């Protein structure tokens, strides 16, 4: 697919903003939806005059509002990137999802797929799922491919699995849908309580005397958001319907992230662990996306950490 017209749901969010920038830089025309038709204070200012905002609250209506449908049919997207979700796991409930999480993450996906099926021409739809749909992994074999068993343990993971089920059904019905299982990703402009901004914001604050962390002994797959949105674009431009992992393809220990922040900031702050304990999360097998698109992550962890810390340091200076 050549660059066309993209609708990005959740465009005012962390990843949505980066995706809009990525698409615009490669010749796409971009419209985006957000519950209020306004940009977040963390959004890139360059997007304000380049992206049309459509007020669509995926969690607030049982059906597509008429004015939203009219605006989207006029825009005629050739691709829909569905990012809108409650993406902080703690906000989705414990073992079972909250009603709000189900409405936004599952029913919101249903609304997007129904919209896509009603448009002419029918757009390609990229649905962002999560590595949280996978089950527990063994320490000696944490890498999972797209055929690994799905056994979500959290309310968040269960909403993403349910959204995937809807997307898989749409594929069987002939809709061109791409499902992305996104692993942890971070970078500048991301908000706490996500791990890297939570820690970087504390290192950037001169008044910090100790850094509050969950645990320094968690192993996870962490990718740069700028690599992730490049993967999303390439999947729509070069990929095919199906499921694709998007991650770094390697495990990093949270202690390594903490040590990088210590080194780059020049501040030897102690860590206060409030949820100590060792844990290993799934790591992405990237063979399928690499074969389909040629994509590989390019931005090293050190740059992700350094850029994120610099963003928070700049924000701290502006607030003084």
């Amino acid at each position: 697919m050549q660059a066309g017209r993209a609708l990005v749901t959740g465009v005012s969010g962390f990843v949505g903003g980066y995706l809009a920038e990525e698409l615009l830089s490669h010749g796409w025309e971009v419209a985006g939806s957000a519950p209020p038709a306004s940009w977040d204070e963390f959004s890139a200012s360059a997007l304000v005059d380049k992206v049309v905002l459509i007020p669509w609250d995926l969690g607030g209506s049982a059906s597509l509002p008429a004015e939203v449908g009219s605006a989207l049919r006029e825009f005629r997207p050739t691709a829909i990137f569905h990012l809108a979700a409650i993406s902080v796991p703690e906000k989705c409930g414990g073992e079972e999802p909250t009603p709000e999480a189900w409405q936004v993450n599952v029913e919101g996906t249903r609304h997007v797929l129904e919209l896509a099926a009603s448009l002419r021409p029918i757009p390609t739809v990229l649905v962002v799922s999560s590595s949280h749909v996978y089950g527990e992994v063994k320490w000696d074999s944490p890498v999972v491919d797209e055929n690994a068993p799905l056994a979500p343990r959290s309310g968040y993971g269960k909403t993403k699995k349910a959204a995937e089920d809807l997307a898989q059904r749409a594929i069987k019905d002939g809709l061109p849908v791409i499902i992305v299982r996104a692993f942890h990703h971070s970078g500048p402009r991301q908000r706490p309580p996500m791990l890297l901004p939570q820690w970087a914001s504390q290192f950037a604050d001169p008044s910090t005397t100790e850094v509050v962390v969950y645990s320094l002994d968690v192993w996870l797959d962490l990718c740069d958001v700028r690599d992730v949105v490049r993967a999303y674009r390439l999947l729509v431009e070069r990929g095919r319907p199906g499921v694709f992992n998007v991650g770094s393809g390697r495990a990093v220990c949270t202690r390594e992230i903490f040590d990088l922040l210590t080194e780059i900031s020049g501040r030897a702050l102690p860590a206060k662990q409030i949820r100590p304990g060792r844990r290993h999360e799934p790591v992405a097998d990237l063979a399928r996306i690499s074969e389909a698109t040629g994509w590989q992550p390019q931005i090293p962890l050190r740059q992700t950490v350094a850029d994120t810390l610099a963003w928070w340091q700049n924000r701290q200076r502006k607030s003084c």
Side-chain angles (χ1 to χ4, degrees), residues 164-177:
E164 278 198 26
D165 291 343
L166 294 173
Q168 291 282 15
R169 195 174 309 151
I171 293 174
K172 291 180 180 178
D173 290 340
L175 202 66
V177 178

Side-chain angles (χ1 to χ4, degrees), residues 195-213 216 254-272 305 308-310 312-314 316:
L195 185 150
L196 182 53
Q198 181 88 326
W199 296 7
S201 61
Q202 294 180 75
F203 271 95
D205 186 346
S207 68
T208 300
T209 57
E210 65 177 4
V211 180
V212 178
V213 304
L216 293 178
T254 49
R255 184 175 294 278
E256 180 182 347
I257 298 171
F258 189 90
D259 289 345
L260 280 170
L261 284 165
T262 299
E263 176 191 345
I264 296 168
S265 69
R267 302 185 70 193
L269 297 169
K272 180 182 179 181
V305 172
T308 303
L309 176 63
W312 281 100
Q313 288 171 331
N314 184 56
Q316 177 68 33

Side-chain angles (χ1 to χ4, degrees), residues 12-225:
S12 63
F14 166 58
V15 184
Y18 276 103
L19 178 58
E21 290 177 300
E22 172 73 13
L23 293 169
L24 288 166
S25 70
H26 285 82
W28 286 78
E29 183 180 350
V30 181
S33 70
S38 60
W39 291 99
D40 185 86
E41 63 171 315
F42 281 28
S43 297
S45 58
L47 296 177
V48 174
D49 297 325
K50 296 179 181 178
V51 176
V52 175
L53 271 183
I54 299 170
W56 186 11
D57 183 358
L58 289 172
S61 175
S63 60
L64 180 70
E67 63 275 16
V68 175
S70 176
L72 293 178
R73 288 182 179 89
E74 182 178 348
F75 180 65
R76 297 176 66 243
T78 54
I80 298 176
F81 295 82
H82 179 40
L83 277 62
I86 299 177
S87 56
V88 178
E90 289 79 2
K91 293 183 178 181
C92 291
E95 292 185 5
E96 297 299 328
T98 64
E100 182 186 10
W102 189 269
Q103 182 63 34
V104 174
N105 294 3
V106 183
E107 295 305 316
T109 300
R110 187 191 306 277
H111 297 331
V112 169
L113 293 170
E114 289 175 350
L115 166 69
S118 74
L119 295 173
R120 295 296 181 272
I122 294 177
T124 297
V125 183
L126 183 140
V127 174
V128 177
S129 183
S130 167
S131 62
H132 282 76
V133 300
Y134 291 117
E136 292 188 45
V137 293
K138 297 180 180 179
W139 277 93
D140 58 351
S141 56
V143 178
V144 293
D145 65 18
E146 292 84 354
N147 295 318
L150 303 186
R153 292 161 286 159
S154 65
Y156 172 68
K158 290 173 182 177
T159 64
K160 287 298 187 179
K161 170 62 168 58
E164 278 198 26
D165 291 343
L166 294 173
Q168 291 282 15
R169 195 174 309 151
I171 293 174
K172 291 180 180 178
D173 290 340
L175 202 66
V177 178
I178 297 165
I179 300 168
V180 170
R181 291 186 184 143
F183 287 66
H184 295 278
H185 42 284
S186 194
R189 305 202 307 254
Q190 188 179 37
R191 290 178 179 273
M194 298 306 191
L195 185 150
L196 182 53
Q198 181 88 326
W199 296 7
S201 61
Q202 294 180 75
F203 271 95
D205 186 346
S207 68
T208 300
T209 57
E210 65 177 4
V211 180
V212 178
V213 304
Y214 285 166
S215 171
L216 293 178
D217 199 15
V218 177
W219 294 77
L220 48 81
D221 183 319
L222 181 65
C223 197
D224 192 287
V225 66

